[in-house]
Amino acid sequence: MPVEQQDSDGTWMQSFVPERNSPLSVDSYSKAVGTDDDRVMMQRCLSLARRALGRTAPNPLVGSVIVQDRQIVGQGFHPGAGQPHAEVFALKVAGDRARGATLYVNLEPCNHYGRTPPCSEALIAAGVKKVVVGMVDPDPRVSGSGIARLRAAGIEVLMGVEENDCRQLNEAFIHRILYHQPFGILKYAMTLDGKIATSSGHSAWITGAKARTEVHQTRSACDAVIVGGNTVRQDNPHLTSHQAEARNPLRVVMSRTLNLPDEAYLWQTNEVPTLVLTEVKANPDFQQLLRNKGVEVVELLSLTPAKAMAYLYNRGFLSVLWECGGTLASQAIAEGAVQKILAFIAPKIIGGSTAPTPVGDLGFTAMTEALALERVRWRTVGADCLVEGYLPLRFK
């Protein structure tokens, strides 16, 4: 059940340490809205929300905490679409203790009937005195109406506590709402001289174990991971989280011709599903072979990164991880299918004039055309370095 009982003394105000090592979190204490206790409790909401990473699409990640007399009396998180929202779980645990209490939630409470009733009405009925909200919901069905409803009922509302962290956690949800496509993340590992494999195509392993573990964690937080046919032929990847209890994303292969091997790890679908996107009437015999193995095959009129993302949007996905080679990566960037870059850089040099690089030809001829990443952060992961940043707005 997506709730956690309180400690024996009922308090976390002094002992709780906010999580700051998730790949989807970011330091943002520069904007100090609310009290120290408010910020600690909002970080608790984010910690709860992260428990459902990769499981809520198309819904956001939301956690909620209820505090009465500086004690946590209820908390919960939204486990997935069609299930109760975080506030409902928190109210259920709190019971009568919610009356006159303060409720914390990282996303504005909903004020409309969807698969579940509006949380704003549940908060009013429970007699909550104050609601502390991390960020306004960008969904036009909510977008301020939840806050307005609470205030109209006499409930005090404080907005914007830990807002940067709240927006970072739900960046995929925000992107999906604003741009009507999943949030695309391009991940690659390269050597210090910019190679993703040797001239012969050998690529295992560029980075160390710690970096690979972080990649596996990132996969488990995404709804799908995409590769092209060349990656299947050369690397025969598993594309799983490699963790016993972790969630695995849908594995997606893009191939126009279906010139793919008959046997591959991706065709083993007993535990992890695989989707192959191709074009109409491409290699019917191989399509049937894949379907016989339990692989889902979908034909599109034209197979491009943008078309693939449109299809995955219609399936309700929030985030898509691109782990493809340089040719498909450049196409995905050019078509606006990638918003975020995760580049793992290993302190190794292999050389090779024909060794592949992470991003193929973008058609640029001058350095002034180069895509300068925004909001760049970097940190070491074991012996390797991770550079994280966002493509400029014109590529969103």
Side-chain angles (χ1 to χ4, degrees):
M1 185 177 182
V3 296
E4 178 179 316
Q5 298 300 322
Q6 64 188 40
D7 287 349
S8 57
D9 64 355
T11 64
W12 267 296
M13 291 292 191
Q14 302 301 323
S15 62
F16 174 66
V17 178
E19 295 181 15
R20 297 201 170 276
N21 295 319
S22 164
L24 296 180
S25 66
V26 63
D27 265 337
S28 62
Y29 269 68
S30 58
K31 185 176 181 180
V33 174
T35 66
D36 288 344
D37 285 353
D38 289 337
R39 292 187 287 277
V40 168
M41 285 300 98
M42 190 58 68
Q43 288 294 333
R44 180 64 189 171
C45 291
L46 296 176
S47 175
L48 289 165
R50 288 188 188 103
R51 297 184 185 183
L53 275 170
R55 303 178 188 273
T56 63
N59 289 359
L61 293 158
V62 185
S64 182
V65 176
I66 299 175
V67 175
Q68 179 76 266
D69 297 328
R70 300 191 80 247
Q71 290 189 336
I72 293 177
V73 296
Q75 60 182 349
F77 64 95
H78 176 52
Q83 300 189 59
H85 292 184
E87 302 95 313
V88 174
F89 281 111
L91 288 171
K92 183 177 181 180
V93 175
D96 292 341
R97 294 173 295 178
R99 188 163 299 278
T102 298
L103 180 138
Y104 294 85
V105 63
N106 58 290
L107 187 70
E108 176 185 6
C110 66
N111 189 50
H112 67 284
Y113 283 89
R115 297 186 187 182
T116 59
C119 291
S120 57
E121 299 301 329
L123 299 182
I124 293 168
V128 171
K129 181 181 179 180
K130 180 178 179 180
V131 176
V132 179
V133 180
M135 62 170 282
V136 173
D137 191 334
D139 189 330
R141 296 174 299 174
V142 185
S143 197
S145 66
I147 295 168
R149 177 70 183 100
L150 295 175
R151 285 174 172 163
I155 297 176
E156 179 185 354
V157 179
L158 175 63
M159 279 296 306
V161 174
E162 300 291 77
E163 182 174 4
N164 288 345
D165 281 6
C166 293
R167 294 182 65 85
Q168 180 77 24
L169 179 66
N170 275 309
E171 62 182 0
F173 172 73
I174 295 170
H175 181 83
R176 175 182 169 85
I177 292 294
L178 295 182
Y179 298 99
H180 304 288
Q181 71 171 37
F183 184 73
I185 304 169
L186 173 62
K187 166 264 158 187
Y188 55 82
M190 69 179 188
T191 59
L192 200 58
D193 55 339
K195 310 297 183 182
I196 61 173
T198 64
S199 298
S200 67
H202 187 260
S203 61
W205 296 100
I206 292 175
T207 55
K210 289 185 177 180
R212 296 198 299 273
T213 296
E214 182 144 331
V215 170
H216 299 155
Q217 293 171 345
T218 302
R219 280 182 194 157
S220 69
C222 292
D223 300 308
V225 53
I226 296 182
V227 296
N230 200 42
T231 298
V232 178
R233 288 187 291 269
Q234 291 193 1
D235 298 344
N236 192 20
H238 290 80
L239 301 182
T240 61
S241 65
H242 293 264
Q243 297 169 319
E245 298 182 358
R247 174 193 167 276
N248 288 300
L250 175 67
R251 303 174 300 184
V252 180
V253 178
M254 292 179 58
S255 174
R256 291 191 180 94
T257 64
L258 293 184
N259 179 23
L260 301 170
D262 290 353
E263 300 295 331
Y265 289 124
L266 294 180
W267 311 155
Q268 300 173 10
T269 60
N270 290 336
E271 296 182 359
V272 186
T274 298
L275 164 68
V276 171
L277 295 178
T278 188
E279 294 190 341
V280 175
K281 297 182 179 180
N283 201 340
D285 290 341
F286 191 76
Q287 286 195 38
Q288 190 58 51
L289 180 148
L290 291 177
R291 291 191 175 100
N292 291 341
K293 292 176 178 288
V295 176
E296 181 183 4
V297 181
V298 172
E299 296 177 314
L300 301 178
L301 290 177
S302 64
L303 183 60
T304 66
K307 296 290 186 182
M309 291 294 266
Y311 172 77
L312 295 176
Y313 171 81
N314 289 332
R315 286 183 64 147
F317 287 10
L318 285 176
S319 55
V320 171
L321 184 64
W322 293 83
E323 292 199 52
C324 51
T327 300
L328 185 53
S330 62
Q331 293 171 356
I333 290 173
E335 294 183 18
V338 172
Q339 285 69 52
K340 187 175 185 177
I341 305 293
L342 296 178
F344 290 87
I345 305 172
K348 301 175 182 178
I349 295 175
I350 59 173
S353 59
T354 61
T357 59
V359 179
D361 187 10
L362 286 169
F364 297 161
T365 58
M367 281 301 297
T368 53
E369 297 177 281
L371 300 176
L373 296 187
E374 301 168 349
R375 291 175 282 158
V376 176
R377 296 188 299 154
W378 68 270
R379 56 187 169 88
T380 55
V381 183
D384 306 304
C385 177
L386 171 60
V387 178
E388 177 181 350
Y390 297 82
L391 290 172
L393 185 60
R394 66 193 179 98
F395 277 83
K396 292 183 179 179

